[in-house]
Amino acid sequence: TKERLGIIPGAPALCSPRRWQKFGVLYVTWMNSKLVKLYNTIDDADNLYRRYYGCDPPKRENDLSPWEVEMESILLLASGGGSSSKKRLNSK
């Protein structure tokens, strides 16, 4: 199948130029490419955070990502929201 590049409707994504200005275009482009590859291979988002920011990620209220929290609430609403239907997305 052929892949296509398309423009997604809606508000444009904004990007701060600080990292680009501080480290240079080549380094930031290289690092972003590396992080995209790592994202596809690493199972822990905290490791990506450490590589990008060079420090531990902030403490979270729970072990789910913001996306998973939102998705869990959508699934709970769709299933009637009863306490017996609460299932964790990434039950370990």
Side-chain angles (χ1 to χ4, degrees), residues 5 8 19 33 37 43 45-46 54 61 68 73-74 79-80 89:
L5 180 63
I8 300 173
R19 185 169 282 272
S33 298
K37 289 178 185 176
D43 60 346
D46 290 345
E61 293 179 14
E68 291 171 317
S73 66
I74 291 169
S79 68
L89 282 177

Side-chain angles (χ1 to χ4, degrees), residues 2 5 20-22 25 28 31 36-38 45 58 61-62 64 66-67 70 78 82 86-88:
K2 280 186 141 182
L5 180 63
W20 298 86
Q21 291 168 341
K22 183 177 180 180
V25 172
V28 174
M31 183 57 93
V36 168
K37 289 178 185 176
L38 287 171
E61 293 179 14
N62 59 44
L64 298 177
W67 178 86
E70 182 180 352
K86 287 187 178 182
K87 293 182 181 178
R88 302 297 302 245

Side-chain angles (χ1 to χ4, degrees), residues 45-64:
D46 290 345
N47 287 335
L48 283 177
Y49 187 97
R50 285 184 199 94
R51 285 183 182 253
Y52 189 79
Y53 291 104
C55 62
D56 286 336
K59 299 292 180 205
R60 294 192 279 262
E61 293 179 14
N62 59 44
D63 60 342
L64 298 177

